[in-house]
Amino acid sequence: MIVLSTLSNSIEPYTLTAVIDTALCVGAGGSSGSLADKPIVRNAEGNLLIPGSQIKGRLRHECEKIARGLGWEISESPSPGKMVIRRDKAPNNFSRSEYQVSGYNETYHCLISQIFGDPVLPSRVMFDDLICTEKPENLAEFLRPGVTINRRRRTAEENKLYFLETSPPHVSLKFQGEIHLLPNCPCYAKPLMLAGFKHIHALGGSKSAGLGWLSWENLPKFEVTEADWDFLARGRKNAAN
């Protein structure tokens, strides 16, 4: 029997705060009561938000780059067929104890999958949406025009003007939420995620046009030990062997 109170007490919550330095463009699926072709996503109370799924996906990507740089073998996400390595077909570089997970005797799972999950292994970390701390009534609707570009001819397409809804620019809006580490989250997850967050400088759409650039006011206060860093450093050493 699962006792929910016991489970919840063993989950480690950490606060995360992002400050949006430019206008943010995180589009919703449909338009309702707005002139924008791509309205900004909001919660049921009308607060601007950055979806937790976007934070998780971007952080996973950054952690993959760091782990590869340290010499670890990383599965090819987001392809489901390449994220899980069967032991009977595994490359030699995956035949290591670090890629073995208790209870999964037929598969190997890279370090990133052991944190964020894969089609077989559940995620060991959960992400809340980051909610804007400013009240919705204080934020006016802000529309940014754009035009579709024909990449072959390098000219603007005719009749392709559109409008994006963004957060107000240059007002340093704060977005706050929590991430939760489950009891079985591996020890190396904390230093790897901390390094990954420091590589994230923009979120949302139209980043190349200057939207969504941010700074982190409050990163998770992880307790990282020397042994955690030593574990990550073993990737290149063991790969050379």
Side-chain angles (χ1 to χ4, degrees):
M1 181 176 67
I2 298 176
V3 181
L4 294 179
S5 60
T6 303
L7 178 62
S8 61
N9 290 336
S10 59
I11 295 177
E12 299 179 69
Y14 295 91
T15 301
L16 181 66
T17 305
V19 179
I20 303 299
D21 299 319
T22 64
L24 176 71
C25 179
V26 180
S31 178
S32 177
S34 172
L35 296 176
D37 299 287
K38 184 180 180 182
I40 197 168
V41 64
R42 303 173 185 268
N43 63 11
E45 286 74 35
N47 300 100
L48 301 180
L49 64 87
I50 302 173
S53 58
Q54 183 170 134
I55 301 292
K56 180 180 180 181
R58 184 61 191 279
L59 181 61
R60 177 175 188 142
H61 178 68
E62 296 300 331
C63 288
E64 285 179 350
K65 293 193 296 185
I66 295 170
R68 284 195 181 97
L70 292 172
W72 294 97
E73 292 293 327
I74 303 300
S75 302
E76 297 182 38
S77 62
S79 173
K82 297 180 179 179
M83 291 178 68
V84 180
I85 309 299
R86 295 193 59 84
R87 295 195 184 186
D88 56 352
K89 300 179 180 179
N92 291 334
N93 291 340
F94 268 95
S95 299
R96 293 173 54 174
S97 60
E98 291 90 343
Y99 302 134
Q100 298 176 10
V101 178
S102 177
Y104 297 83
N105 299 324
E106 297 182 357
T107 53
Y108 288 120
H109 303 270
C110 72
L111 300 192
I112 303 302
S113 291
Q114 292 181 45
I115 301 173
F116 298 97
D118 59 32
V120 172
L121 190 68
S123 174
R124 277 84 175 275
V125 59
M126 300 183 296
F127 292 77
D128 291 344
D129 295 335
L130 299 187
I131 308 297
C132 182
T133 57
E134 186 66 41
K135 295 181 179 180
E137 56 267 25
N138 295 335
L139 300 176
E141 182 182 45
F142 190 86
L143 299 181
R144 181 185 177 110
V147 65
T148 302
I149 300 297
N150 185 305
R151 301 299 178 184
R152 181 177 60 84
R153 293 189 289 115
R154 299 182 181 182
T155 58
E157 295 276 15
E158 293 185 7
N159 301 319
K160 292 295 184 178
L161 177 68
Y162 60 85
F163 291 92
L164 301 176
E165 183 184 9
T166 71
S167 65
H170 310 302
V171 292
S172 298
L173 294 178
K174 293 184 180 181
F175 289 72
Q176 190 171 83
E178 289 186 338
I179 62 176
H180 309 270
L181 272 61
L182 302 186
N184 58 352
C185 192
C187 63
Y188 58 81
K190 293 179 179 179
L192 193 58
M193 288 195 296
L194 188 60
F197 273 121
K198 293 183 179 182
H199 281 76
I200 299 176
H201 304 291
L203 291 169
S206 300
K207 292 184 286 293
S208 62
L211 299 183
W213 288 81
L214 59 82
S215 55
W216 298 105
E217 180 179 271
N218 182 31
L219 287 174
K221 292 179 172 57
F222 292 139
E223 294 182 7
V224 180
T225 66
E226 195 67 29
D228 299 335
W229 292 112
D230 290 342
F231 178 92
L232 290 174
R234 285 160 47 186
R236 191 173 301 281
K237 178 180 178 181
N238 289 355
N241 295 336

